[in-house]
Structure formats: structure tokens, C-alpha cells
Amino acid sequence: MTVKATLHDYQAQAVRFALHTLPVYGGCGLFLDMGLGKTLTTIAILDIIHRLHPEQRFLIVAPKTVAVNTWPAELAKWEHTLDWAVAAGEKPDAKQRETALAAQATVTIINQDNLGWLDTTLTEWPWDGIVLDELSGYKNANSKRFRILRRRKQDRTRPERGRGKGQPTGWILGLTGTPAAKGLIDLWPQCALLDDTHRLGRTITAYRSTYFTPGRHHGHVVYEWKPRPDAFTRIMGTISPYCLTMLAKDQLPDLPQVIMQDHHVTMPAGTRQAYRRFCKDKYEELTDTHVTAVNAGVLTGKLSQFTAGCLYPDMDAPNRTPIRYDQAKMSVVNRIIAEAQGNPVLVFYQYKDELARLRETYGTDVHTPDEPDIVRRWDAGEIPILAAHPLSARYGLNLQHAGHIIIWMSLPWSVEDWQQANARLNRQGQTRPVQIHRIIEPDTIDERKLAVLEQRAMLQDAVMAELKHAAE
């Protein structure tokens, strides 16, 4: 049974902004904070366009979980004129995807990983508009998905519909709450898909030369680009005509507060000794295997494993079973879960060994997001502990109706993973203060992770606030 959609005032504002911007720039960015209803807002936009132009069709590209579950569920809730087909899945589902394309639905939904398949399957794309759910997934200008979409948008022609030959048709609507998760350099690829007027420059090379200077480099190879002193203000002013930002704290003032609780736990002496030795030697000889760090990236990964109380052997080692050093962080997890007094707990882990420890301690009380009907069971109070890797819970897993406690066994490096994961509970519909527990071992790489998250979050907040200010 469907019901008539009722938009909040801020969602109606976003709809008006998009409808005005899409035909002017050939795209629009809705940088809406997590929990503000980007999906419903987009459905309203598509519905209005379709009512005005019934012949037009749309493609929605989303992360797999969102494509398979969230979009069909939201479309089914509301009364509108749109029909849809889901062309998402892995290789064994190729026939299902082909059937969905053959349906010629008004809205076709596909997951990001199948863009390559779609590109080779259809010589000509029939869609007048493309929605990119989680636009931040296209921040790499060298990625295959970016190149496909840019070429398809530039090359599509519809002379039979009265448009000039060679003129790009359609538009791209980009949705994200984290447009600059790692820095301002991420913005060009995303905006290049939205803006036919090339306000940020036609190439990423032009963008870099205009707004950045080379930082860390070796010869002609630049590893890091540093923004010029005025880059932030100039970039924000340049993209504000076609990018709209909304913050949850402004639009949902009654959203319960977030209580951040840091638990500092001392790394046990034996683990600390091994940690320091590995920092120095970048090698650890174990009973029947070994661990080496061939570069800085591997070293940081191995040091993070030490803080989780384990260490994974090298890929070519005869025994790949992780070595366990201690249970320091697990003891804190146990205490937090006990203090939850039966309230459901969402636990984020980084390593499979952390999930294994949870299961060894709590048995069948531990569940994972890949289980069937997990959201309904969570809402019904049937899931005492939901253990998830941030990548498996970033999108489409809305758990705010039954839980308010989050535990991070190990912190991520990515502020996007951090913010998106926390937004599974901290979103519209939450009625209790959200507790976020971070377990940190001082004087280890944990403190570096925390600093990186805070720095990137500050930039992210600055981008969102500046675009919001420019729109007022």
C-alpha cells in the first residue's frame, strides 16, 4: 500500500533547487547530511520531471545494498507516477539485469559495480537523467566508473527528440553527505560529472594548477597537492550555484545529542614490546611464520593490527592464522555491552579476528548485516549485537528505531566511513542520545587515526557550512 509523500520544508527547498539547476548546468549536487532523506527528495524530483515529460526515463546508480534494498523500498512507499526495475546483482544475475533493462521502466536502478557491464551491454543509453547515489564514490578521475559516466553524458545525442546533433543530453544529479572526505582535491571529479559549464576547469590538471601547489613529490611525480591560501573560498564560490548543502543540526534541531565516549586502554607490556620492535625492524619472526612491512602503508596496517591485539602473517607465509597478543580492547567491549543492560549494540570492527572474538564470547547473539531481514529483526529487538565492518554498513542500513549505542573496536582512517557508519543510528527517527564509544590505546597509531579523522571532519564540516552559507 502506498501513501502520499509529504516533504519537509528543507526537502521541498532541495527539490526546487535541483529543478532549477539541472537544466542550467546539466547537473546538480545535493550535499545533504546523513539522515535528511536524500532518497525521498530525489524521488520527488524524478516524479515532477516525469509528470512534465512522461517520455523521459531515468537511471539510478547506487551502492549495491542501497540499489537492491533502499531504492525499491522507498519507491514502493510513496504514491507517484514512476515505475521501476532493478538491474543490480553479481555475474550470476546477468539474466535478471537483462530482463530489467528490457522492461524499459521509467526508472532503472543499478549498482555501481555493474556500470562496466552496462557500458558494454548498451551501445546507446536511453536515460534522460542519471542519479548518482553517493557521489563521493566517483572522486577518482582515473576510475573506470568516472570515465564511463563522463563519456556517456558527453556523447549521448537524441536528434529524434528535437535536440541538436552532438549536443549532450540529460543531466546528472549527485547525492552525498561527504563530498570532501579526504580533501578539496576530491571535488573536481565529482563536480566534473555535474557541471557542463566546467566552472572548476575542463581537466583535473587545470584544477590543480589553479587552486593547488605541489606538496610532497619525487621528481615529476607529485604525491600530495596543497591548497593555495585562497583555494577554499574560491572553490566554494565556484561550485555553489549548482551544489546545495544542508546540515542535519540545522534541519533537525530536535535530533538527540551525540555522546562521544573515549575509552583509553593501556597496551599490555608484551604487545607494547612487540609493537615497538616492529616499528624499528619492520619484521616479526613468529613460531611457524613471519610478518614483514615492505612499505609505509603495510607498516601502518600492521601497527593497527597490534592495537587490535592481533597480527596477520604475510600473504606468502605458510600459516595465515592471525597471532593473538592480548584481549585489552575486548575487555572494554565486554564492559560496555554489560553496561548497555540488554539494549541492542552496534559494534564496528576492522579485522575478521575482532569479529571472531565477538562470536567466541557472545555466540549466537552476534549477527551481521548480510543476514536476511536484518533491519526488521533489529527493530523488533531480535538482534542483541550487530557486528559490522564500516564498508558493509555505510549505506542503506537505517537502525535508528531500536538502538542508540555504537562501539568502535578499531577506528578507521576514512572520515566518510566514520560518519556514514555512525549515521546508521544518528539520524532522523532517533529518540535517544546516541552513544559512540571509541576504544583507543595511547601512544600508538590509534592516536594518529583519531587526529586524521578529526582533521578531515573539520574540512568536511567547513565545506558543508560554506556551501550552506553561499546558498542563503
Side-chain angles (χ1 to χ4, degrees):
M1 181 178 177
T2 58
V3 295
K4 184 67 176 179
T6 301
L7 299 179
H8 295 285
D9 289 343
Y10 69 85
Q11 292 172 324
Q13 178 189 349
V15 171
R16 291 192 295 270
F17 181 86
L19 292 175
H20 169 75
T21 305
L22 289 173
V24 176
Y25 293 94
C28 172
L30 294 184
F31 298 167
L32 274 58
D33 234 346
M34 282 77 75
L36 289 183
K38 293 188 286 288
T39 305
L40 174 58
T41 301
T42 303
I43 292 173
I45 294 168
L46 300 184
D47 188 38
I48 292 172
I49 294 175
H50 183 60
R51 289 176 188 271
L52 295 173
H53 307 283
E55 78 284 357
Q56 293 200 7
R57 297 168 58 193
F58 315 106
L59 175 70
I60 295 174
V61 187
K64 184 180 177 183
T65 301
V66 181
V68 174
N69 300 314
T70 304
W71 278 99
E74 289 299 315
L75 282 162
K77 286 181 183 178
W78 309 107
E79 179 183 314
H80 48 66
T81 63
L82 305 172
D83 61 289
W84 68 90
V86 181
E90 303 299 336
K91 288 183 178 179
D93 298 319
K95 179 174 285 189
Q96 177 265 331
R97 296 200 302 268
E98 292 169 357
T99 301
L101 294 183
Q104 298 186 359
T106 302
V107 177
T108 301
I109 307 167
I110 194 166
N111 56 308
Q112 293 172 342
D113 295 335
N114 280 326
L115 272 176
W117 171 84
L118 187 64
D119 188 46
T120 57
T121 299
L122 295 182
T123 303
E124 182 178 351
W125 283 13
W127 299 288
D128 298 271
I130 300 172
V131 176
L132 299 182
D133 194 349
E134 295 309 330
L135 179 66
S136 58
Y138 304 85
K139 59 192 175 188
N140 182 357
N142 294 318
S143 68
K144 183 178 180 180
R145 64 178 62 165
F146 171 84
R147 295 198 304 268
I148 288 172
L149 286 169
R150 199 169 192 215
R151 170 171 48 80
R152 286 290 185 169
K153 187 184 181 189
Q154 292 174 342
D155 291 350
R156 286 169 56 236
T157 58
R158 306 303 257 222
E160 72 277 12
R161 294 189 184 176
R163 299 185 176 96
K165 185 176 181 180
Q167 179 182 352
T169 67
W171 41 259
I172 290 181
L173 175 64
L175 313 175
T176 185
T178 53
K182 290 187 177 180
L184 295 174
I185 204 75
D186 289 347
L187 287 174
W188 183 85
Q190 299 173 71
C191 292
L193 293 175
L194 306 179
D195 178 22
D196 288 344
T197 65
H198 311 292
R199 290 173 64 92
L200 281 184
R202 289 183 175 273
T203 65
I204 194 167
T205 301
Y207 176 63
R208 288 169 178 162
S209 64
T210 302
Y211 299 104
F212 299 84
T213 58
R216 188 167 53 91
H217 66 282
H218 179 72
H220 295 293
V221 180
V222 179
Y223 299 104
E224 180 185 18
W225 292 89
K226 293 185 177 181
R228 297 179 186 274
D230 61 348
F232 179 83
T233 302
R234 292 172 62 198
I235 292 171
M236 294 303 103
T238 300
I239 69 176
S240 62
Y242 58 87
C243 294
L244 175 69
T245 287
M246 290 185 174
L247 304 175
K249 65 181 181 181
D250 296 330
Q251 308 303 335
L252 303 173
D254 296 329
L255 196 66
Q257 69 178 125
V258 174
I259 302 172
M260 199 74 65
Q261 298 188 32
D262 288 342
H263 303 264
H264 296 276
V265 54
T266 302
M267 178 180 278
T271 312
R272 173 72 67 179
Q273 183 179 10
Y275 182 92
R276 288 174 175 168
R277 184 171 59 245
F278 197 83
C279 280
K280 178 183 177 181
D281 300 335
K282 301 176 181 58
Y283 181 84
E284 181 79 347
E285 185 71 44
L286 303 172
T287 304
D288 57 352
T289 188
H290 58 273
V291 184
T292 55
V294 296
N295 55 48
V298 175
L299 177 60
T300 57
K302 296 301 181 184
L303 295 181
S304 295
Q305 292 170 21
F306 273 111
T307 66
C310 67
L311 189 63
Y312 282 80
D314 293 344
M315 293 297 295
D316 61 348
N319 181 4
R320 288 281 296 148
T321 303
I323 305 302
R324 288 187 177 177
Y325 284 85
D326 63 67
Q327 294 276 14
K329 287 190 174 181
M330 192 64 204
S331 64
V332 180
V333 172
N334 294 338
R335 176 167 55 82
I336 298 170
I337 291 177
E339 292 173 353
Q341 298 182 336
N343 282 293
V345 177
L346 176 58
V347 182
F348 289 113
Y349 64 88
Q350 292 292 321
Y351 305 104
K352 291 181 179 179
D353 186 62
E354 293 176 309
L355 174 60
R357 295 181 194 220
L358 283 171
R359 284 175 165 158
E360 289 167 10
T361 304
Y362 297 100
T364 57
D365 281 350
V366 179
H367 300 263
T368 53
D370 57 340
E371 296 178 20
D373 212 14
I374 195 69
V375 174
R376 184 200 62 77
R377 292 161 58 205
W378 169 272
D379 288 345
E382 299 172 4
I383 309 293
I385 301 172
L386 182 60
H389 190 281
L391 290 178
S392 69
R394 281 170 59 178
Y395 313 120
L397 199 66
N398 299 335
L399 305 170
Q400 70 272 28
H401 298 298
H404 68 287
I405 301 171
I406 296 173
I407 302 173
W408 285 87
M409 298 183 72
S410 295
L411 293 175
W413 288 101
S414 166
V415 71
E416 183 176 12
D417 289 352
W418 165 258
Q419 293 178 338
Q420 291 279 7
N422 289 332
R424 298 314 96 205
L425 299 187
N426 183 33
R427 61 193 303 113
Q428 190 169 195
Q430 180 60 258
T431 59
R432 291 173 290 180
V434 175
Q435 300 176 19
I436 301 178
H437 298 267
R438 304 187 293 196
I439 307 176
I440 301 164
E441 292 189 336
D443 194 26
T444 71
I445 201 166
D446 277 356
E447 292 187 333
R448 177 59 182 156
K449 284 184 179 181
L450 190 59
V452 168
L453 285 176
E454 291 176 347
Q455 290 166 5
R456 290 176 177 173
M458 287 176 61
L459 173 62
Q460 182 71 31
D461 291 346
V463 169
M464 299 288 275
E466 185 67 21
L467 288 176
K468 167 183 172 290
H469 174 73
E472 292 176 343

